[in-house]
Amino acid sequence: MTTTMKKSSRVGITEVAKYCGQAPSTVSGVLNKRADCRVSEKTREKIMDAVAKLGYRPNLTARSLVSGKSNTLGMISTAQDIEPTTRIATAFEAEARKNGFMLLITFDPNDPEMEDKQINWLDDRRMDGLFLMPSETGDHLQLKSLMERKFPVVTLDGLGRLDVNCADVSVDYYEGGCMQAEHLLSLGRKRVCVANSVHSCWVVDQRIAGLQDTLLKAGAPKPLYMNLPFEARPIMDGPAGVHDFIRAFMLKNKDKMDAVVGTGDEVAMTVMGIAMNAGIRVPDEIAFAGCDGISFSANPFMPLTTIASPHEAIGQAAFKLLHTQIKRKNTVITPKMQLTFKPELVVRKSTVS
Amino acid sequence: MTTTMKKSSRVGITEVAKYCGQAPSTVSGVLNKRADCRVSEKTREKIMDAVAKLGYRPNLTARSLVSGKSNTLGMISTAQDIEPTTRIATAFEAEARKNGFMLLITFDPNDPEMEDKQINWLDDRRMDGLFLMPSETGDHLQLKSLMERKFPVVTLDGLGRLDVNCADVSVDYYEGGCMQAEHLLSLGRKRVCVANSVHSCWVVDQRIAGLQDTLLKAGAPKPLYMNLPFEARPIMDGPAGVHDFIRAFMLKNKDKMDAVVGTGDEVAMTVMGIAMNAGIRVPDEIAFAGCDGISFSANPFMPLTTIASPHEAIGQAAFKLLHTQIKRKNTVITPKMQLTFKPELVVRKSTVS
DNA sequence: CTGTTAGCGCCTTCAT
DNA sequence: ATGAAGGCGCTAACAG
């Protein structure tokens, strides 16, 4: 009899068993350290020996099929190209890895249909839990369907705008806006200009609301809105017209303002740079503040006052919330699983020289 | 007879078959549009109907088990927190998604042991191919073992430093260094200072080699090395001493240089900012240039001349190379599968006012 | 055209 | 203390 062609080039549990004269189930028991699998020390060694010698590696696909779980977490990330999201994702991954999970990742271009599709695909692959950065719009049908099945899910910045009661991590962006306003007011700045894109999104709306409410409450005038007729990003190296638009706006309106607030650090720094180029003295004539706390806001030459979010803590918390749900099946979602982080004011020379 | 408890809450192919009075294999054939599965239009409809009504979703784990492939690509990314890597990864993911692949991602903290471990885990999960950003050091044993098995792999920046003949995408960093030098020389700048971290890595070494070789060939003196006694990152918001160190160095040595080259854009911009704070006029007294082409190098106030890499093209090419190997099994690695991209000089006001 | 059979690699239960 | 049998959900080959 000739050697039959092996189906897979990798050695499986049966070959290990054959090699050391044991039954596959025994090998399985030893490998998984199953409690009820009592084996003599000698067979143990023989098995571990064979495993090492043959270079056995478990087929996790097969294991998943029977166990129904994959030790894999899904992550759907919008805008993986911006620093806050990247940092959250990195922290999340680090936690997941420490706990033996791998990540099935997809970058969703903020499209509701794509979100649903991706959730399905992830589900088809039997992920054990999902960390979702939900699309700005849409019905989130698949998310809802996951929730009905009590499938472990954590959303980022979802609580305030999704009509789903799921575990969530977010930042109190409204409060962040308030903090910006209070900081500016404390410096005697009341005539605020908001550098925003006309394309609104929840996070930005929250920030602006907090800012404006606080200003008005303090008797300051309603802010002046720049309403950039472009997407907020990319703005540094953005479409040709952006910088011209900003320059013209600043030159025309500089006397109506003593502070500019960006809806993100990049916008704030871009406007600040253009203003400085136009001869405006920062912060003497106009102060600048941003949001997010990206690394570049700390640059030594035009350091930006900003409202920083604790990205690393958010990513870690997201994993923990997910892990909890995975460990105890059918967890009921309680308010304790909906975390709101406080942002932090970082004062730099763009407001205080 | 009471309803028996279903093992899995999800409906499987057997339930669909039962529901529409067909055999599981028939359903499978229809669903996979198998060529040799000729079915009457009526049964087709019945089946598709049942699929829709029952909300059937395939269990990809089971499918993988039999097919031996998972439509999943592994990606091991070092330093997912820096823009170049992020952009490459994003482009790679977009291509992969278009072609029906999902990504199993892990962020490797540049640790050889971790790399090996991750490759194994990915392999255990039966990924169909691997996009690897190899650790700076180590033997890359698992990578080599993959190569022996002719497993589809593409490395990033691996060709020049790994003793493995695998498909690869990289950038001609040496040439990038040459371009920097030539640009500076064309402006009459010969006394170059290199802002580098003492922790060397292949990419940086290449850049420096190209720069120095070109300078020396042109009769310029050997560059002055700053040798920052810190990790290259984070540097903007880095450990307390970094900025002081740079400031002191610049003040002490400014008369010995007419240009500073950073081994990355962040370093270059940090040093440039500190120099400007110290009253040095840029570019009149000292010109500045960086590498990578991150978005912030385009900021309007201190725009940085840089050597930009085509990150998006790299990510796309990496996927294509991987896809090719996956489609035709046992591809022989040819030099055509080892792509070297040319960087591009982007001239900005930090060198030419 | 459609249904039956035999696994994919592993784990769990239940006999021995 | 160990092994045999059955099945996870799906697919491929082969019968009807």
Side-chain angles (χ1 to χ4, degrees):
Chain A
M1 204 170 110
T2 53
T3 346
T4 46
M5 191 58 178
K6 280 210 221 75
K7 298 290 161 61
S8 144
S9 60
R10 277 98 136 190
V11 5
I13 205 173
T14 47
E15 340 234 346
V16 174
K18 211 166 291 173
Y19 184 88
C20 62
Q22 298 289 331
S25 57
T26 312
V27 176
S28 166
V30 169
L31 254 30
N32 297 354
K33 303 190 176 95
R34 215 183 315 132
D36 64 321
C37 175
R38 313 198 21 77
V39 188
S40 69
E41 199 44 46
K42 232 176 53 188
T43 33
R44 258 195 64 78
E45 271 175 31
K46 268 205 300 186
I47 290 176
M48 296 315 282
D49 225 54
V51 164
K53 210 157 292 174
L54 262 38
Y56 166 78
R57 301 242 92 220
N59 181 332
L60 261 33
T61 300
R63 195 175 280 179
S64 286
L65 182 57
V66 29
S67 73
K69 36 202 358 297
S70 59
N71 285 305
T72 287
L73 263 26
M75 174 166 125
I76 299 181
S77 159
T78 53
Q80 192 57 22
D81 56 334
I82 65 174
E83 191 179 308
T85 323
T86 299
R87 280 168 58 187
I88 291 171
T90 303
F92 180 81
E93 192 275 342
E95 267 332 276
R97 178 146 41 84
K98 269 184 222 156
N99 287 275
F101 289 91
M102 286 209 110
L103 259 44
L104 263 176
I105 299 193
T106 90
F107 301 152
D108 177 344
N110 219 326
D111 165 9
E113 281 187 47
M114 189 54 93
E115 176 183 308
D116 283 349
K117 225 179 267 183
Q118 306 274 30
I119 292 181
N120 273 335
W121 289 342
L122 252 10
D123 194 27
D124 296 346
R125 282 181 168 83
R126 294 298 181 268
M127 57 167 175
D128 294 336
L130 173 66
F131 180 28
L132 173 68
M133 313 192 183
S135 294
E136 196 58 34
T137 59
D139 297 328
H140 308 282
L141 254 42
Q142 291 309 319
L143 169 61
K144 283 172 189 164
S145 130
L146 289 183
M147 295 310 299
E148 274 170 29
R149 277 167 40 202
K150 308 216 172 181
F151 185 87
V153 173
V154 172
T155 53
L156 176 71
D157 296 340
L159 196 55
R161 58 196 181 85
L162 265 37
D163 57 333
V164 183
N165 184 42
C166 58
D168 181 83
V169 283
S170 39
V171 175
D172 193 340
Y173 297 107
Y174 183 91
E175 171 70 18
C178 299
M179 290 163 73
Q180 267 182 324
E182 278 155 16
H183 175 61
L184 293 173
L185 288 167
S186 79
L187 298 169
R189 315 265 178 167
K190 297 193 162 188
R191 297 174 303 144
V192 175
C193 168
V194 177
N196 63 311
S197 159
V198 290
H199 305 273
S200 83
C201 69
W202 182 79
V203 170
V204 166
D205 292 346
Q206 291 291 110
R207 284 172 170 163
I208 290 181
L211 177 83
Q212 178 163 326
D213 287 356
T214 307
L215 286 174
L216 295 182
K217 211 169 292 170
K222 190 178 169 229
L224 177 63
Y225 288 91
M226 194 175 287
N227 289 323
L228 291 167
F230 310 92
E231 295 282 345
R233 303 196 67 253
I235 187 158
M236 285 293 172
D237 203 2
V242 191
H243 291 199
D244 292 340
F245 179 94
I246 295 172
R247 187 185 160 82
F249 185 95
M250 288 303 290
L251 287 177
K252 183 173 162 209
N253 297 292
K254 65 174 175 173
D255 296 331
K256 301 183 190 146
M257 58 177 92
D258 50 23
V260 170
V261 163
T263 53
D265 286 337
E266 287 196 39
V267 178
M269 297 193 77
T270 304
V271 177
M272 176 162 68
I274 292 171
M276 289 164 87
N277 282 344
I280 295 171
R281 281 168 299 121
V282 178
D284 303 343
E285 292 180 83
I286 301 181
F288 283 81
C291 309
D292 284 340
I294 66 176
S295 61
F296 244 87
S297 66
N299 86 82
F301 192 65
M302 32 187 263
L304 180 74
T305 291
T306 191
I307 304 289
S309 302
H311 305 295
E312 282 68 27
I314 292 171
Q316 289 166 7
F319 173 78
K320 246 169 242 164
L321 285 176
L322 208 47
H323 203 194
T324 309
Q325 295 178 67
I326 292 171
K327 279 186 294 192
R328 27 176 148 97
K329 264 298 190 203
N330 292 337
T331 320
V332 180
I333 304 299
T334 63
K336 278 185 191 166
M337 306 183 70
Q338 299 168 327
L339 269 34
T340 302
F341 287 81
K342 292 285 171 202
E344 185 196 0
L345 173 70
V346 181
V347 178
R348 299 210 183 91
K349 293 191 184 159
S350 66
T351 54
V352 178
S353 55
Chain B
M1 205 173 110
T2 54
T3 347
T4 46
M5 190 60 178
K6 280 210 219 73
K7 299 287 162 60
S8 144
S9 60
R10 278 99 137 191
V11 2
I13 204 171
T14 47
E15 340 235 346
V16 174
K18 212 166 288 172
Y19 184 87
C20 61
Q22 298 289 329
S25 58
T26 311
V27 177
S28 166
V30 169
L31 254 32
N32 297 354
K33 304 192 175 93
R34 213 178 319 127
D36 65 321
C37 175
R38 312 197 25 75
V39 189
S40 69
E41 200 43 45
K42 231 175 54 186
T43 30
R44 257 196 65 77
E45 271 175 31
K46 269 204 301 187
I47 291 177
M48 296 314 282
D49 225 54
V51 163
K53 208 158 291 174
L54 262 39
Y56 166 78
R57 300 243 92 219
N59 182 332
L60 261 33
T61 300
R63 194 176 280 179
S64 286
L65 182 57
V66 29
S67 73
K69 37 201 359 298
S70 60
N71 285 305
T72 286
L73 263 25
M75 173 166 125
I76 300 181
S77 160
T78 51
Q80 193 56 21
D81 55 335
I82 65 173
E83 192 179 306
T85 323
T86 299
R87 282 169 56 187
I88 292 172
T90 303
F92 180 81
E93 192 275 343
E95 268 333 276
R97 178 146 40 85
K98 269 185 225 156
N99 287 275
F101 289 91
M102 288 208 108
L103 259 45
L104 264 174
I105 299 193
T106 89
F107 301 151
D108 176 345
N110 218 326
D111 165 10
E113 279 188 48
M114 190 53 94
E115 176 183 307
D116 284 349
K117 225 180 266 182
Q118 306 274 29
I119 292 182
N120 272 334
W121 288 342
L122 252 10
D123 194 28
D124 296 346
R125 283 180 167 83
R126 294 298 180 267
M127 56 165 175
D128 294 334
L130 173 65
F131 181 30
L132 173 68
M133 312 193 185
S135 294
E136 195 59 33
T137 59
D139 297 327
H140 308 282
L141 255 41
Q142 292 308 319
L143 169 62
K144 283 172 189 163
S145 130
L146 289 183
M147 295 309 301
E148 274 170 29
R149 276 168 39 202
K150 307 217 172 179
F151 185 87
V153 172
V154 172
T155 52
L156 176 71
D157 295 340
L159 196 55
R161 59 196 182 84
L162 265 36
D163 56 336
V164 183
N165 184 42
C166 56
D168 181 81
V169 283
S170 39
V171 175
D172 193 340
Y173 298 109
Y174 183 91
E175 172 70 18
C178 298
M179 290 162 73
Q180 267 182 325
E182 278 155 16
H183 175 62
L184 293 174
L185 289 168
S186 79
L187 299 170
R189 315 265 178 167
K190 297 194 160 186
R191 296 174 305 142
V192 174
C193 168
V194 176
N196 63 312
S197 159
V198 290
H199 306 274
S200 83
C201 69
W202 182 79
V203 170
V204 166
D205 292 346
Q206 292 291 110
R207 285 172 169 163
I208 290 181
L211 176 83
Q212 177 162 326
D213 288 355
T214 307
L215 287 174
L216 295 182
K217 211 169 293 171
K222 190 178 168 228
L224 178 63
Y225 288 90
M226 194 176 286
N227 288 323
L228 291 168
F230 311 92
E231 295 282 347
R233 305 196 65 254
I235 187 158
M236 286 293 172
D237 202 4
V242 192
H243 290 199
D244 292 340
F245 180 94
I246 294 172
R247 186 184 162 83
F249 185 95
M250 289 303 291
L251 288 176
K252 184 175 162 206
N253 297 292
K254 64 174 174 172
D255 297 330
K256 301 183 190 145
M257 57 177 91
D258 50 23
V260 170
V261 163
T263 53
D265 286 337
E266 287 196 39
V267 178
M269 297 193 77
T270 304
V271 177
M272 176 163 68
I274 292 171
M276 289 164 86
N277 281 345
I280 295 171
R281 281 168 298 124
V282 177
D284 303 344
E285 291 182 84
I286 300 181
F288 282 81
C291 308
D292 283 341
I294 67 176
S295 61
F296 243 87
S297 65
N299 86 82
F301 191 66
M302 31 187 264
L304 180 73
T305 291
T306 191
I307 304 288
S309 303
H311 306 295
E312 282 69 25
I314 292 171
Q316 290 166 6
F319 173 77
K320 246 169 242 165
L321 285 176
L322 208 46
H323 203 195
T324 308
Q325 295 178 68
I326 292 171
K327 280 186 294 193
R328 27 177 147 95
K329 263 298 190 202
N330 291 336
T331 320
V332 179
I333 304 299
T334 64
K336 279 185 191 166
M337 306 185 66
Q338 299 169 326
L339 270 32
T340 302
F341 287 81
K342 291 287 170 201
E344 184 196 1
L345 173 69
V346 180
V347 179
R348 298 210 184 91
K349 294 192 183 156
S350 66
T351 55
V352 178
S353 55

